[in-house]
Amino acid sequence: MTQKIVLITGASRGLGRQMARSLAQRGVDLVLTYRSGRAEAEALQSELTALGRRVAILPLDTAECGGFAAFAEVLDDTLRTTWGRERLDALVNNAGIGIHVPFVETTEAQFDALMQVHLKGVFFLTRALLPRIEDGGQILNVSTGLARFALPGYAAYAAMKGGVEVLTRYLAKEQGGRGIRVNVLAPGAIETDFGGGVVRDNADVNRYIASQTALGRVGLPEDIGNAVAMLLCEPGLWVTGQRIEASGGMFL
C-alpha cells in the first residue's frame, strides 16, 4: 500500500500543528509549510519523526502568489528525494491570519491582507499544486463558523472564508473527473493563539462561547485535528463539495 502524504499549509502553530499531530498519529507522512516560525516547524518535525513518520518542512508565504511556481518546484524535489514520489495524496489549505475590526473601521490594507491569504492565496496555490495531487486524492479548505453565524468585528475575515466555501464547491465539481474530493472544514471558536488568543485567554469570552455551544464548551485544537484526520483518513468516504462545521453546535 502506498504511503499517504498530506501537505498542510501554516502548520507551525495553532490548528495546523494539531492537524499534523492527528494525522501523524494515524500513520500519515507530511509536508508542512511555515511562513516565519521555522523553529516551531523544526520542533514539530522532530516530534512527528519520533513517531516514525517522514516529515518535510518548507517555507511558504501564502500571501505571495508570485512564489507559488518556485514552491511547487521545491515540492517536486522534496517528494522525489524523501518519498520517491511525484504526487501528494491531499492538500490542506490551512494557513491564515486573523483581523478583528468593526466593518466601518476596516481599512483597505486590512481587507487586502485577508484576501491575499484567505482567498487569492488559496485559489492560486491550489491551482499550482493540482498537478501534484494524485487522482483520487483530496483537497481540504479551512473556513470558519463565522461564515454561518455573525459576530461583530469579523466581516472582512468571514467574507473571505465565504468565498473559500463557494470555491470549494466549484473545485469539487471541476475536479470530480479525476476522483479528487474537495471539502471545506469550518471550525467554531477554538482555544489557540489565533486572533491574539482571545478565546483561549479571555475567561469572559470563553464562558460566553461555551454557553452558546450545544456541547457546553469551547473547542480545543484536538477537536479540529481529529475532524481533519476523519475526513482525510477514512477510506472510501463518499463526500465531496461539502461544508463540515466542527463547532460543538455553536449558535444552533
Side-chain angles (χ1 to χ4, degrees), residues 46-61:
S46 297
E47 174 188 335
L48 303 184
T49 299
L51 296 177
R53 305 273 46 87
R54 281 183 285 182
V55 181
I57 60 171
L58 300 176
L60 175 66
D61 186 346

Side-chain angles (χ1 to χ4, degrees), residues 7-109:
L7 187 154
I8 305 173
T9 65
S12 63
R13 49 178 283 277
L15 295 183
R17 180 169 58 195
Q18 189 58 49
M19 292 174 192
R21 286 172 172 158
S22 295
L23 288 168
Q25 289 164 3
R26 290 162 174 81
V28 175
D29 284 354
L30 297 153
V31 179
L32 308 176
T33 80
Y34 64 93
R35 183 174 63 88
S36 58
R38 181 175 179 83
E40 292 89 344
E42 289 176 341
L44 181 61
Q45 181 184 38
S46 297
E47 174 188 335
L48 303 184
T49 299
L51 296 177
R53 305 273 46 87
R54 281 183 285 182
V55 181
I57 60 171
L58 300 176
L60 175 66
D61 186 346
T62 58
E64 297 294 334
C65 295
F68 292 167
F71 173 79
E73 291 181 1
V74 173
L75 176 61
D76 289 342
D77 290 341
T78 301
L79 289 171
R80 283 192 295 265
T81 58
T82 306
W83 287 277
R85 295 262 303 270
E86 294 185 351
R87 291 183 173 183
L88 301 159
D89 294 286
L91 164 66
V92 181
N93 285 306
N94 165 73
I97 59 173
I99 295 176
H100 179 263
V101 60
F103 174 81
V104 296
E105 297 175 16
T106 303
T107 67
E108 186 175 355

Side-chain angles (χ1 to χ4, degrees), residues 119 158-168:
L119 186 54
M160 304 307 160
K161 291 301 192 179
V164 166
E165 295 190 4
V166 173
L167 173 63
T168 296

Side-chain angles (χ1 to χ4, degrees), residues 23 138 140-141 181 183-186 224-235 237 239 242 244:
L23 288 168
Q138 294 189 66
L140 182 62
N141 297 321
R181 288 173 283 153
N183 293 294
V184 62
L185 179 68
I224 305 306
N226 289 334
V228 169
M230 176 194 71
L231 289 167
L232 298 186
C233 297
E234 186 68 25
L237 194 64
V239 176
Q242 300 304 305
I244 296 94

